[in-house]
Amino acid sequence: MGFRGSRRGLRGWLNNSRNGANGTRPTLLLPERYSALSLFRHGLTGENWPRVWRDHDLKPSYDVVIIGAGVHGLAAAYYLARNHGISDVAVVDRGYLGGGNSGRNTAIVRSNYLTPEGVRFYNRSVKLYEQLAAELNFNVMFSQLGHLTLAHSDSSLRTMRWRAEINKLEGVGSEVIGPEEIKRLVPYLDVSSEVRYPILGALYHAPGGIIRHDAVNWGYARAVDAFGIHIHQKTEVTAIDVERGGVVGVRTTRGRIATRRVLNCTAGYASVVAGMAGVALPIVTHPLQAAVTEPVRHFLGAVIVSGTLHVYVSQTDRGELVFGASVDPYGAYSIRGSLEFTEELAGQILELMPSIAKVRLVRQWAGLCDMTPDFSPVMGRTPVKGFVVDVGWGTYGFKAGPVSGEAMAELIATDKTPELIAPFALARFTEGRLVGEKGAASVGH
Ligand code: PYC
């Protein structure tokens, strides 16, 4: 199913979508349907595929300006058009589409969080991800192969039990399993007691898995473009104009845009952009490094996380092993890899899987994580009227793209905060209502 002729696809959504603020529906220019038949036709005729999204001149005004063309910004634009009929939207990015954290994360999707608020929220994202390929007619390669968070001590086993109970209460599939079951799921893990950090058990989260992050970005971008929304790459925001307590415009390297609604969907520079509107965020930005190996035959049956060893690993559909660790232990805006990271990563991962010692690392990189005091994001209004934020994702951002896009679109369109994101308001830091998700981090920080 896809855009064309699908009841659940984009056209179906459009038919059911509400009219925009001015009573009109956005025009949907149906992109070419991706199917075996069209692949065959293009192969036969040699005809070029149409561009997935187009460039546009910058208009002097838009109803909504979204800063950041990553998964959060693109998803918000998509749901604004699809659910609320708002398509006079510019998505601006100083780099290229999906070139920030949306293309730098390790593409893990899961909802096995620690707080009821967190579990509910990320679970909605998993549900949206499950239907995304069909909805966008774009293969996002979501493999729900399962997610294991290992416990190497009694205290982490206790946290896993706690998470499992909260997850179950929210209807999310998570349970604590023992070493034998872990070995059955992932035979290459060393579950013996002969190691420095024996595995006592794990939180097994069957709906968790990995996705192709570029495909998610491109799929949303194609749909956004089809709704007539303008994606402006290489367009850096240099200032946000505020008058009488409300946003009136955004200045960019390509000109000024008049607008009364601005959504900050940046990651890494969220506090810098918010500062342009005079809004202070409780964020410290840290690099987070990752690395990938050459492709090897498929052997890893789940995503593996060890908080104690500060490492996580998954295997892509192409066979590469993708690794990550804790955020770098200092605040910085650097996206360079370091030898310290590689050495420590190799040492830790070989504790878990000694049999991969001969596999070669081929690349490493870093993204930037905006860490908040409670490890939960900041979503919603700010003291500046019309300036809303979807920021502070720390190491959790990519998995939340669809749900935050959906919720932020609703907030912008209706001026009401959806229940699902109410706990993540900026005001929680002054009102003392933190949503502590440190215990659900993939690794200790
Ligand atoms: O929270 O699953 C996670 C994660 C993986 C990599 C960074 N964060």
Side-chain angles (χ1 to χ4, degrees), residues 317-334:
D317 290 333
R318 275 200 302 239
E320 302 121 322
L321 297 175
V322 180
F323 302 110
S326 323
V327 295
D328 287 354
Y330 42 80
Y333 288 95
S334 161

Side-chain angles (χ1 to χ4, degrees), residues 106 108 110 113 147 288 305 312 395-396 399 440-442:
T106 44
I108 296 169
R110 63 186 178 91
Y113 281 76
H147 183 283
L288 176 63
V305 176
Y312 43 87
T395 61
Y396 298 151
K399 49 190 106 307
S442 280

Side-chain angles (χ1 to χ4, degrees), residues 56-253:
H56 298 274
D57 290 336
L58 198 72
K59 291 201 304 166
S61 72
Y62 287 92
D63 278 352
V64 182
V65 173
I66 298 175
I67 308 174
V71 63
H72 285 250
L74 293 167
Y78 171 66
Y79 294 109
L80 271 171
R82 196 201 77 174
N83 292 358
H84 306 283
I86 298 174
S87 62
D88 186 24
V89 178
V91 185
V92 299
D93 198 296
R94 71 175 190 164
Y96 60 93
L97 188 155
N101 280 2
S102 291
R104 294 174 169 275
N105 59 82
T106 44
I108 296 169
V109 174
R110 63 186 178 91
S111 57
N112 56 355
Y113 281 76
L114 185 60
T115 64
E117 297 88 339
V119 177
R120 253 175 252 145
F121 175 76
Y122 290 97
N123 190 37
R124 172 72 187 154
S125 218
V126 171
K127 299 285 174 230
L128 289 171
Y129 267 133
E130 283 171 351
Q131 69 196 38
L132 205 59
E135 185 176 327
L136 301 181
N137 177 225
F138 206 102
N139 186 1
V140 295
M141 298 167 77
F142 186 20
S143 310
Q144 290 181 284
L145 67 172
H147 183 283
L148 279 170
T149 314
L150 306 177
H152 304 268
S153 66
D154 287 340
S155 62
S156 55
L157 205 49
R158 178 180 166 275
T159 309
M160 299 313 149
R161 290 206 183 94
W162 179 356
R163 278 168 72 181
E165 291 313 309
I166 302 278
N167 285 200
K168 281 184 219 161
L169 281 173
E170 295 298 329
V172 167
S174 292
E175 56 183 318
V176 174
I177 59 174
E180 273 174 30
E181 180 72 357
I182 297 170
K183 186 79 182 168
R184 198 186 59 71
L185 288 167
V186 188
Y188 285 83
L189 269 186
D190 187 348
V191 297
S192 72
S193 53
E194 308 304 313
V195 292
R196 193 151 56 110
Y197 296 103
I199 297 169
L200 305 185
L203 180 69
Y204 177 54
H205 174 54
I210 49 170
I211 201 159
R212 177 80 203 278
H213 53 202
D214 295 325
V216 173
N217 296 319
W218 300 336
Y220 271 127
R222 190 168 82 119
V224 159
D225 182 80
F227 273 120
I229 287 174
H230 290 184
I231 299 169
H232 295 293
Q233 304 182 84
K234 300 251 180 262
T235 307
E236 182 170 354
V237 171
T238 53
I240 296 174
D241 295 335
V242 177
E243 280 174 14
R244 285 189 280 278
V247 169
V248 291
V250 168
R251 279 184 250 167
T252 79
T253 44

